[in-house]
Amino acid sequence: MPSPSRRSKWSLAVTGVLLASGALTPVAAQAQPADRWVVSGPSLTATVALDQTTGTLSLGATRNGRAVLAPAPVGLRTTGADLSRGLRFVSRADRTVSEQYAMTTGKRRNRTVSGTEARLAFATAAGARVDLVVRVAPDGVAYRYVVPGPVTVTGEASAFTVPTGASAWLLPYNAWYEANRVQTTAGGAAAGDYGNPSLFQSGEDFVLLSESDVDGRYPGSKLRHTAGSGTYQVVLADEQVTATGELRTPWRTAVIGDLATVTASTLVDDLAPPSKISDTSWVKPGKVAWSWLSENSSPGNFERQKAYVDFAARNGWPYVLVDEGWSASWVPELVRYARAKGVDILLWLHWSNLDTAAERDTTLPRIRDWGVKGVKLDFMESDSRERYQWYDAVLAKTAELHLMVNFHGSTIPHGLARTWPHVMSMEAVRGAENQPPAANNPVQAFTRNVVGSMDYTPVSLDVGPKEASVAHEVALPVVYESGWTHFADKPEAYEARPQALRFLDQVPTVWDETRLVGGHPSSGATIARRAGTRWFLGAIASGDARTLSAPLSFLGSGDWLVEVVRDTTSSARGDVVRDSSVRRSTDVLSVAVPRNGGFAAVICPAQTGRTTCDEPVKQVPTTSLAITPAQELDAARGTSFEVTGSFTATGSSALTDVVLTTTAPAGWTVTGLPVRRGMLAPGETMTGRWTVRVGDSSPSGYTDVPVYAEFNGERVHVEKAVRVFVPPDVPSGTPYVSDLQFIGEENGWGPVERDRSNNENTGGDGNPLRVGGVAYAKGLGVHATSEVSVYTGRRCSRFTAGIGLDDETTETGSVVFQVVGDGRVLFDSGAVRAKGAARAISVDTTGVRMLALRVTDAGDGKNFDHADWTEARVTCA
């Protein structure tokens, strides 16, 4: 709780105490006019005024006596009452806010919240009530509404007014927040809608407008501007929002202060609800190797993803993100390969893959069971309440399953990472994948990144427009904060620049402290961040070559070893160089940078004999694991089989706390105990043996029985799996393939559709199958690249179908149809490049155990490759 001397700086009138989370401190009552209420802090003051003639409310704010927000309307409109006019004052209750909380990500791990809050109650002549809650914090002002329910809101009168001549950095609105920011003035900005957060500067005062505590109770908002005006009106994404109980709206938020205060602000997080997760030990931020931007097709290539895993392991990066194009047929094996090297796998998903409870309850547990540690969810592209309810549902389910999350194609952070600490990052920025100009980079540090982790995907060296220098790119993981930092380029680009890679191997992704050292939204940003005893400095500039200066006053007393990473004058895209010197906090670091240049630095306490601030890159000891049976095994329900595992420390390091065991799938049983060793010396082997029984009601299809070893304090996980096939009933007669169980299913866009066309990405959204103008009641609708497999048990002698491109696409795709029996191609259509009548095929499948129907993209990409297997059926004994 604040000391009395601290509390005396926060002056409030009080008629009661409002109960809420955090420490509560009553504040002495003061007389104030009946139509004007003041909420004050040490430097900021918010004033709410009631126009006695119209009954309208306004709110303004000052900083050190200077007006930064002119009085602007506040209030709500509902279907039952207009709560923006005709109001009268009812009561006021005040409290002092004092909280502490910890974050898993962000610019500062440990947070302290202080502020003053007033709840002003107003009512109409008919008795309809609205409470206005106003909070003043050291770094800004915020307000929200509380309305008794049930209620349907049709809009807000909420607005912010800044001086018309104020400089402005605005984001033309779209629901995925990926436009370039526009530098203009508050009054000179074009009429239209702008996205949060929006930054304004008037003299020495900066104001960043945004919102906080937005979830499925309410839609998001944007800022609507009329040309020539300094007022920015809050406009909701939905025309109406209904609450059955009391409604607490999101906070309308203004971060206010000098540029350093705005940059370091945690106000958006401070206003958000506390964490809903009590145990966050499984939440692990970190660096991520990512292939999609530099090699768009590589997420579909198992061997290439293994190369990214190897690169991450060599450099101590804990994650590899496998983006769009991965296959369920090999991801489990990639996960096992990666975990043995101390690397975990993250997977990309389109949001619509999880848009129903049933999909969330099947897809997410399945990838969790593979050993995947997190997901990148993409293309939400909406601020509607319905989409925010989807966020709520996904966050609850991923938290339950201990899956971390990155939201891409998303809204902006609204304090989400405080409430749900497994949110590692969000996009909502024109990041590297959209090839932004270098001039767009500095402003992001003072706008978008202020409100939360930003998935910009930095450090583009060989990919992208190459406008920024290499040192500028290398500095971005310090200038930009993100709990997961997805590096944009491929291993070869980084390994060709070993000094750049050396710095990237050292830079953290979570910080204990953040300081603005210098810069301005229009020209550059220099930011210092501390992790433990080391400081990291990142400086970027836009425009002509010049010298960047960084005062080292953020350092403590004593001598500090400063290692500067900078561009050379000999090569625009070559490696950086590293310079070392011993400095003190009174020094100023000056570095000459080229056009759109920058520099980075790592700084640590100088000690006798210390020559670098680098810490050792963590390497996982090499091991080997052999299992039996090593080949795929058929096992009927109720039968048993034996599994063995032999684990060897093949490297030069001894392993400690080693456990070798297996795990039974749900409904199966394992007989035999884990094998344990306190230490396994180099060259030693330990062996375990277990009996596994298939469950009596086990579903048919493939199941992995993992055998794994874990060791050392960080529980390195080395795993292989016995592949078990539980056969379904063998088909009889002439069944349609769409009526059989799919043993395997891959599809290039959304799921395979039974008896419908592929259409879009959501399951069940297909149209009637139609090829060459003829509709078919039965068949499969797929999208290249696709493969569906069914079990025929060597009892089906023929497969028949019609093949062709579905009529539903506006343009014609190109595909190849293949029928595959036990891995052998039995039929190949050649390239089908035109729409038209379905082509009848009949394929001999005598002796085939597993039949697969495959569609490829004919080698020219998968756009418009909607393919149909019409009337597809098998003839069986």
Side-chain angles (χ1 to χ4, degrees), residues 511-696:
W511 307 98
D512 296 310
E513 192 174 352
T514 291
R515 303 278 188 90
L516 176 65
V517 177
H520 189 269
S522 61
S523 58
T526 302
I527 292 179
R529 303 190 195 267
R530 180 177 62 84
T533 60
R534 296 191 298 174
W535 283 91
F536 289 80
L537 191 66
I540 61 173
S542 62
D544 293 338
R546 56 188 182 273
T547 296
L548 296 180
S549 296
L552 300 179
S553 54
F554 56 88
L555 297 175
S557 60
D559 292 336
W560 293 81
L561 177 61
V562 179
E563 297 184 85
V564 174
V565 175
R566 61 174 177 82
D567 292 302
T568 67
T569 57
S570 59
S571 174
R573 305 307 301 172
D575 199 8
V576 293
V577 296
R578 181 177 289 222
D579 302 323
S580 297
S581 61
V582 175
R583 302 295 187 107
R584 299 181 70 88
S585 63
T586 53
D587 291 339
V588 175
L589 195 63
S590 296
V591 179
V593 302
R595 179 172 179 78
N596 296 325
F599 71 90
V602 55
I603 306 172
C604 59
Q607 299 171 353
T608 302
R610 187 174 202 172
T611 60
T612 181
C613 294
D614 286 358
E615 295 178 351
V617 174
K618 194 175 301 181
Q619 300 292 315
V620 171
T622 58
T623 62
S624 68
L625 175 63
I627 64 170
T628 61
Q631 303 300 318
E632 181 181 309
L633 172 72
D634 280 9
R637 298 178 182 89
T639 62
S640 298
F641 57 92
E642 188 176 85
V643 170
T644 66
S646 296
F647 180 65
T648 305
T650 56
S652 59
S653 301
L655 312 180
T656 59
D657 301 323
V658 188
V659 179
L660 177 63
T661 190
T662 186
T663 300
W668 298 29
T669 57
V670 169
T671 303
L673 297 175
V675 180
R676 301 179 184 274
R677 292 283 294 272
M679 185 181 75
L680 193 66
E684 278 195 288
T685 297
M686 57 192 294
T687 300
R689 180 175 286 104
W690 305 271
T691 299
V692 179
R693 183 180 185 277
V694 181
D696 293 331

Side-chain angles (χ1 to χ4, degrees), residues 108 289 363 539 579 589 797 800 843:
R108 193 163 66 248
T363 301
D579 302 323
L589 195 63
S797 59
T800 58
V843 181

Side-chain angles (χ1 to χ4, degrees), residues 4 34 59 73 90 182 185 191 227 307 420 464 491 544 565 567 584 594 629 654 677 690 738 741 807 856:
L59 183 144
V90 176
V182 177
T185 62
W420 296 102
D544 293 338
V565 175
D567 292 302
R584 299 181 70 88
R677 292 283 294 272
W690 305 271
S738 59
Q741 175 186 340
D807 293 346
T856 72

Side-chain angles (χ1 to χ4, degrees), residues 54 180 261 263 269 360 371 392 446 574 669 702-703 706 715 727 745:
T54 62
N180 280 329
T261 299
T263 306
D269 288 337
R360 294 188 288 272
D392 294 346
F446 306 111
T669 57
Y702 286 105
T703 299
R715 310 314 301 165
E745 175 187 347

